[in-house]
Amino acid sequence: MAQFKAPPPGTPKFGVEYDFANGKVKFDDVKPGEEATVMSMLEDMQNRLPTPVVQIAVAPPPPPAAASIAPAGTDGLSADARLPIATMVEEYLESQEGRAAKKQIGPKNVDQRATRLRLFTSYFDGKAIGDITPNDIKTYMDDIAYYPTSRDVIGIAPGRSVRDVIKLSKANKLRRDNGKPYDTLSEATVKGYMLALANFIGFCDLKLAVLDRTASRMKSIVDSAPKGEPNPKEPFTDGELTSIFSCRYFWQPAYNLPHQYWTPVIGLFTGARLSEICQLTTGDIKEYAPGAWQISFNDDEDSEDDEEGSRRKSNKRLKNKSSRRVMPVHPQLIELGFIDYWKKRKKEGNVNLMGVVAAQKDGYGKVPGDFFRNKLLREYVGINSDTKVFHSFRYTFITRLRQAIIDNAGTRVEENIENYPEGLVLRQMVGHSIASGFTRSTGKSDVHINTYMGEVSMEARVRLLNRLDMTRFPIAKYKDVKPGQRIRYKPEPKSASQSGVGDFGIDGGVLSGLV
């Protein structure tokens, strides 16, 4: 038996009664304040015994305060299921930005998905992601076919909710000032929105944040969406080009940054893509013969000077290998002041030609593209069709030179235009792959033409480019932008008698009688 030492002086005196039936310990003669000492003594005694006689029950600590995370649902969902849709969309887009940083997807894909999911978030405002059912998804798909395009740009029903706007559109109560209804999302656009939603729902399914039946039904719902053709992009008409370049914005002038003037003008005379134009550097413009100039569209990673004079990578991107090309500068582009502007810009070093800074996600074309589409084209000129965008300059360039080739060939047969000698020159000038009549239906390039023909001569390109005659359009010559200037554009009020662009003339440096 274990030997116990005598308790030290001052040890509390107490009696103990064991209730083996209930497993309780009852203390006698314990004075207030001595309870902790008594418990400590009993525990010490028990630890010294070879075999414990009594298990001293110690009350468990109180449970911790309830966490703020909602418990999992009865459908096997995680706590994320109770999060608002907007929160889950934000988390999803962060994951996509991470993929873009690893070059697994393009930066533009992230913004496109953000745009397409913004409508979904607004439609189900305040709803938790775990509450979304297949029927909700199907109803949403059917409803957004009535949603007006460019609503935020042209301010359709401001202050109204997405559901209210759709309800008004269904009732045919959303109309322009001229009484015509607004354009709504095309079948192809709806399909694109649903594909973006399917990817998002898949992300939520991995986190157990959506109902199993919602995730499993997504494919069938998306497949049921109408398979409409994408909105085709169209070339600008003569009237639209007149409206754009006769706009008082160019003639006052009211542009504050060089790209606001040069991007549409260069697009008109080169057919280049917006990003290709905006990433041009001063080193991309060269005089290849006395008085003859060329533009090089490339993705060279040569460093350029920033505004502080330090060197940085240009981060140029091209669509594909065929997009690398050199083309002559159109004579009319020189008359508008392009080379004079380049010479002044060249004095600052190898810098971005128009002072455009690449956006973090969308590269060089983001800011100029937003300005052209939302301000110049939609607001100032009033061209709102989804088929008319900056890329319409490319369609205009190609369409007009294509027709010039046919007219010069003395035939109206257009089928084999790609195989006309000048047709091949045009394809190289705009950065399209060269395909012969035997291979273009297969989507493959002609190895004979691509490998053995090589680059067409600059003289051939000049001859073709000179067929592009834009002298009929009132294009103002470029005027230097003063550093730090901020001119607010004030369109001339359009009188009731004005139905379009009529005769015009210079009146104190500003065209009178114009839109």
Side-chain angles (χ1 to χ4, degrees):
M1 180 178 292
Q3 300 295 319
F4 294 98
K5 297 180 180 180
T11 300
K13 295 179 180 180
F14 59 91
V16 178
E17 181 180 343
Y18 298 97
D19 184 352
F20 291 98
N22 297 316
K24 295 181 179 180
V25 178
K26 181 180 179 182
F27 300 101
D28 291 329
D29 302 325
V30 178
K31 298 178 182 179
E34 295 179 339
E35 294 88 350
T37 304
V38 170
M39 287 297 299
S40 177
M41 291 175 62
L42 283 176
E43 290 174 357
D44 181 64
M45 291 170 61
Q46 179 167 286
N47 290 335
R48 293 173 182 270
L49 291 173
T51 302
V53 178
V54 174
Q55 297 293 334
I56 301 176
V58 179
S68 58
I69 301 176
T74 57
D75 292 304
L77 300 180
S78 69
D80 287 337
R82 306 316 320 150
L83 294 175
I85 290 175
T87 302
M88 286 302 297
V89 167
E90 184 177 351
E91 185 175 337
Y92 167 72
L93 293 177
E94 288 179 358
S95 72
Q96 299 306 293
E97 288 174 354
R99 294 184 63 199
K102 297 177 182 177
K103 300 188 182 302
Q104 295 174 348
I105 59 175
K108 287 187 177 180
N109 290 351
V110 180
D111 280 348
Q112 184 185 66
R113 293 173 189 184
T115 299
R116 291 176 172 179
L117 290 174
R118 191 177 301 121
L119 185 60
F120 177 73
T121 302
S122 299
Y123 184 89
F124 290 107
D125 184 33
K127 196 164 187 174
I129 186 63
D131 293 335
I132 296 296
T133 66
N135 186 61
D136 291 333
I137 300 291
K138 182 65 170 62
T139 301
Y140 168 75
M141 181 180 70
D142 294 339
D143 276 356
I144 63 174
Y146 293 90
Y147 193 72
T149 59
S150 305
R151 179 197 172 189
D152 295 334
V153 175
I154 55 182
I156 302 173
R160 305 296 291 267
S161 69
V162 167
R163 289 178 182 263
D164 285 345
V165 170
I166 291 173
K167 186 176 180 180
L168 291 170
S169 180
K170 283 183 175 181
N172 204 21
K173 294 182 179 180
L174 285 181
R175 292 183 174 273
R176 302 177 185 273
D177 293 340
N178 61 8
K180 294 182 180 180
Y182 289 102
D183 295 331
T184 56
L185 299 185
S186 67
E187 292 180 349
T189 302
V190 170
K191 185 83 169 184
Y193 274 54
M194 295 306 297
L195 288 172
L197 178 57
N199 288 330
F200 168 65
I201 293 297
F203 170 82
C204 296
D205 186 37
L206 291 175
K207 298 176 70 65
L208 302 178
V210 289
L211 298 170
D212 286 343
R213 58 183 182 274
T214 300
S216 62
R217 288 286 305 280
M218 275 305 302
K219 184 178 185 303
S220 61
I221 294 173
V222 172
D223 288 344
S224 70
K227 297 177 175 61
E229 294 295 325
N231 277 339
K233 301 299 182 275
E234 298 177 343
F236 289 119
T237 65
D238 282 4
E240 289 168 337
L241 288 176
T242 300
S243 296
I244 291 171
F245 291 108
S246 65
C247 178
R248 292 169 60 88
Y249 178 82
F250 289 109
W251 286 90
Q252 288 182 0
Y255 41 86
N256 295 299
L257 299 169
H259 74 74
Q260 295 171 344
Y261 172 90
W262 283 117
T263 49
V265 174
I266 295 175
L268 180 67
F269 288 102
T270 65
R273 302 174 180 93
L274 177 62
S275 59
E276 294 174 339
I277 296 171
C278 295
Q279 68 186 16
L280 286 171
T281 65
T282 52
D284 294 328
I285 316 300
K286 294 180 180 179
E287 189 176 24
Y288 67 90
W293 299 86
Q294 69 180 34
I295 301 177
S296 172
F297 296 102
N298 59 73
D299 55 356
D300 296 340
E301 285 295 332
D302 294 338
S303 297
E304 63 180 33
D305 295 328
D306 60 20
E307 294 181 356
E308 287 74 30
S310 58
R311 305 294 284 173
R312 65 182 177 190
K313 286 289 185 180
S314 61
N315 296 320
K316 292 181 177 181
R317 300 190 191 107
L318 290 178
K319 183 176 181 180
N320 50 46
K321 182 179 179 181
S322 300
S323 299
R324 292 180 62 93
R325 63 199 187 278
V326 175
M327 69 179 302
V329 177
H330 194 283
Q332 194 174 347
L333 190 56
I334 296 176
E335 292 174 5
L336 294 173
F338 180 68
I339 297 302
D340 291 337
Y341 168 78
W342 168 80
K343 288 179 179 178
K344 293 178 181 178
R345 189 72 175 146
K346 181 67 174 176
K347 294 178 180 178
E348 301 179 33
N350 184 34
V351 296
N352 183 277
L353 182 62
M354 293 171 289
V356 177
V357 178
Q360 184 176 3
K361 295 180 181 179
D362 282 336
Y364 289 92
K366 171 64 174 174
V367 174
D370 286 347
F371 171 80
F372 178 81
R373 179 182 61 255
N374 299 336
K375 283 292 184 181
L376 181 61
L377 196 63
R378 305 289 190 241
E379 182 177 336
Y380 299 164
V381 180
I383 297 177
N384 295 306
S385 172
D386 284 345
T387 65
K388 302 300 173 74
V389 293
F390 189 92
H391 208 67
S392 294
F393 285 119
R394 183 169 175 82
Y395 281 79
T396 301
F397 181 88
I398 294 172
T399 300
R400 290 174 186 253
L401 280 184
R402 186 177 187 273
Q403 187 61 49
I405 293 171
I406 295 171
D407 293 343
N408 186 60
T411 177
R412 305 303 298 177
V413 179
E414 303 182 8
E415 285 192 11
N416 292 320
I417 181 66
E418 289 85 354
N419 289 332
Y420 291 5
E422 285 189 326
L424 299 175
V425 176
L426 176 58
R427 293 185 70 85
Q428 284 201 352
M429 280 208 306
V430 298
H432 282 160
S433 62
I434 299 177
S436 73
F438 296 103
T439 60
R440 71 172 178 272
S441 63
T442 67
K444 297 179 180 179
S445 299
D446 188 335
V447 66
H448 170 73
I449 295 176
N450 270 0
T451 303
Y452 296 102
M453 190 183 80
E455 293 290 325
V456 298
S457 68
M458 186 62 73
E459 290 76 13
R461 301 179 192 219
V462 169
R463 284 196 299 270
L464 176 58
L465 187 60
N466 285 344
R467 298 186 191 280
L468 184 70
D469 182 9
M470 296 293 183
T471 55
R472 77 192 77 174
F473 304 114
I475 307 175
K477 189 173 181 178
Y478 178 74
K479 292 186 178 180
D480 287 329
V481 173
K482 296 179 181 179
Q485 75 173 13
R486 285 293 180 268
I487 301 175
R488 184 177 295 277
Y489 174 59
K490 296 181 180 179
E492 183 179 28
K494 189 175 182 179
S495 64
S497 62
Q498 285 180 306
S499 57
V501 178
D503 296 333
F504 56 86
I506 300 296
D507 180 14
V510 179
L511 284 174
S512 60
L514 298 179
V515 175

